[in-house]
Amino acid sequence: MAIQQADKLLKKHKDLHCAKVLKAIGLQRTGKQDEAYALAQEVAALEPTDDNSLQALTILYREMHRPELVTKLYEAAVKKVPNSEEYHSHLFMAYARVGEYKKMQQAGMALYKIVPKNPYYFWSVMSLIMQSISAQDENLSKTMFLPLAERMVEKMVKEDKIEAEAEVELYYMILERLEKYKEALDVVRGKLGEKLTSELQSRENKCMAMYKKLCRWPECNALSRRLLLKNSDDWQFYITYFDSVFQLIDESWTPPAEEEHSLEGEVHYSIEQAVKFIEERIMEVSKSSRPLRGPYLAKLELIRRLRYRGCNDEYKLGDPEELMFQYFKKFGDKPCCFTDLKVFVDLLPSSQYTKFISQLLEVIPLSATAESEIALPADIKALQQHLCVVQLSRLLGIYHAMDKKEKLMVVQELMLRYRHGLEFGKSCLKTELQFSDYYCLLAVHLLLDLWLEGEETAVWQCLALLEEGLSHSPSNAQFKLLLIRIYCRLGAFEPVAELYSSLDAKHIQHDTIGYLLTRYAESLGHYAAASQSCNFALRFFHSNQKDTSEYIIQAYKYGAFEKIPEFIAFRNRLNSSLHFAQVRTERMLLDLLLEANISTSLEESIKSMSLSPEEDDIPWKDLRDNRDLTVLFNWDPKDRDISEEHRKLSLEEETMWLRIRSLTLRLVSGLPTLSHTIQPKNSEKTAENGVSSKIDTIRSLLQQLEAAVDSGKKFLEQKIQYPVLGPPPTRMAGFFSNGSCQCQTSLFYLVSDIYELDTNGLDSAEIQERIGNSFKSLVERLTDLFNKCKGDLIEVRDGTLKTHPNLLENLVFFVETISIALWVSSYCDSVLRPFKSNLQKKKKKKKESSVAMPPVFTHFLDYVTELQTLTSNVIDHIKGLEIILTALKLEELSLKDTLLLQEEKKFTKTVQGKVQSSYHHSVQEIGELLKKRLDTIKKLKI
């Protein structure tokens, strides 16, 4: 419609630039990018200066992701209208979008000369800082860009032209980057510092930062002390206060005899003074009507620091156990009580854990009811207190020490408390969490312990309890995240997609928790869902580039200069994201798997992705692991929790697996480049036409793949076990153990042999024999891989359901490997077909009844026939799996366990049905794809 309207206008006014651009936008949005670009360039070549055309072209270029074209547009406009403030500022912003800092500096100054307004001058200064940040040479940054920026600001200071807070912030930023901390401190404490008013305690925080840089501990101490007198609940200043006290003690600092202690007033330089100060704060808050947590926690923090220094006995601050008990009595009904005390539990001796928990339980007002033997809370406050104690019990390892029977008893008790607690949340909205949700989560954690100890029924109870919890608290993200992890562990992806979607992940969460989805979708055979989940993530990563430019422009407009380097660091961090690289690689492999040589040729698919075997766009040295591995709540003791070592090992494993996948993708993308020319080639000619370099690339990538595989195998020898709620392991172990790795590597070696045959002709019997042996061993390996896919995906054992997700993963690897085998076979076909037609021509010329056919043809035809038979067998096996899954009568499973309530039985049936349905879906999708691959094999007849 828009295009039609634009055409009507253009019939009347042929040279109406704006109409042409609007038509181009319409074409761009209907997928006709080339036409849109041609039309836009036609208008841009005329160098328009009317605002409508310029704005419309800017919108179009942004949609095309070509911001560099906007700069050319406004450069031309500024030349034609040199005194336009508007066009100059648009030019500056256009440079900002593409990060042309040198040109931004010049544009800023040009703008200031036309309209001498402070913001334009400081845009230019900020552009100098950005040049210093982006400079590769740090020396150049500190000797040229930053001093020049400093001189420019000093000029304004001397002329008394500094007007806004943003300008003072910028001056401070320059001095800080030049490490002129003394001068920065003078600016903040001086007249200019009075302009720093937008943030609370902005001036004090900046002073504190400079005192720390200058190691002026007396000032640090006095300032933090003064701020704590104003607000005794500000935790950051307690930390600075303690840091500075102990620094002064270590330096044996004493105050000067006659002068002030410091610029900021009185200084505390001994432990006695610190103890007295904290006690005074506690006395002060105990009298106030609103209880504050800071001073009580500060006392525990001081004990911890003194104990660390080995001098706790001299200064009696009290027994940590008693202090924590008193803290619980004051704040136990607040949800934050557990997280506050969690930090200090290591102050308790392990022999006192049980006594401490009993002591806490005694002060909670619980009362037994007629229906239940268990004493239950009468109100929300008592419920919160009891919840805090239960969480602490788990943290202190009391539950971990129990045997199976005791754990099951605790699970029953926790669920009874959970269901009782629902009464307090009857008026809660759907978007609000129930007060007792944590009871349900803790019960599930106990059941997970039992599952890991080999209790198979426990996992079904976990899922049932979580589904029950979710029915009462539909917005509880923890329930959803835990369900996602457990369903994936069981090999059922179907319910996961819906759960993840209901989490409504926003913006950066696609990077931090997206791994929960993308790790399992494809590996469990849900190809359509895998495509969708990759699209979600990629849409976010691609829009990040455009969005961040807009944030930067807004920061310039509103003078939030200190945010600009942060935005750029954020953009760089996302561009270097491990998850981004993984999703990009897996998405391309998936697209090839689903489309190459099915709906489009392999060559077309690779061309549409702009893939090249020579190019590696993954920033290996700068990869950032942005995954949030602590997104799931955890109450495990430190020795069972995710450690820094686990994070490091997980990143190492993910990087190795990404390298293997990336090299596989690049090797596949190299197949169409080995295009066949009919004349047998000799090596001299090959070097000229550039194909030899292509095979060299393939061989080099193959060596890199071998090295990556060796590294992966060495890594797996460590037999690392991550915590159950820690990072999920990669697919690398399965890839090696089921034989896919050996198959895929052999296939790429076969490519090299076929190329050699193509180069040397059919004269070499040795090459032909080598190829024949490769074909035989490949069929054997593929058959072995198929054998590792055999077995029931879900079996009923002793009335309990057991899933075998590894069989599903093996099937997915089989499909991928057979697809690579077919792409390689197509290449073989393209090489052998011309040879065969040449032989047939010779045969006709010589009029001989039989020209001996070289053995390689027979080998290839046998290989293709065996591939076809094997694929047909796998398809039959999959049909058998479908029949078994359909016939599986879940209702006949014995849910006779008397411990299960009717409610739990209902949810257990639901989750088992979801798992069955998911496996059925996986098997269907894998079967459909294999059938398409079988059709491809049938076409391979030379």
Side-chain angles (χ1 to χ4, degrees), residues 211-222:
Y211 288 142
K212 283 182 187 173
K213 296 274 189 192
L214 294 163
C215 295
R216 285 171 61 170
W217 299 112
E219 278 78 9
C220 258
N221 180 276

Side-chain angles (χ1 to χ4, degrees), residues 189 204 221-231 263-266 277:
R189 286 179 61 85
E204 287 85 348
N221 180 276
L223 181 57
S224 54
R225 183 188 144 277
R226 205 175 75 225
L227 290 165
L228 284 169
L229 287 171
K230 272 190 199 171
N231 176 8
L263 280 174
E264 299 286 353
E266 189 190 333
F277 180 68

Side-chain angles (χ1 to χ4, degrees), residues 504-559:
D504 200 14
K506 294 277 194 296
H507 201 257
I508 189 70
Q509 287 174 318
H510 289 299
D511 192 18
T512 56
I513 63 169
Y515 70 95
L516 294 170
L517 199 63
T518 52
R519 157 65 183 87
Y520 291 102
E522 186 193 349
S523 63
L524 296 175
H526 282 259
Y527 297 119
S531 258
Q532 204 177 5
S533 55
C534 287
N535 283 347
F536 272 148
L538 289 174
R539 207 174 298 136
F540 159 66
F541 284 114
H542 290 143
S543 67
N544 154 55
Q545 202 67 24
K546 189 174 75 181
D547 294 347
T548 315
S549 300
E550 296 311 309
Y551 306 153
I552 292 165
I553 285 169
Q554 294 307 314
Y556 271 108
K557 277 183 184 171
Y558 296 106

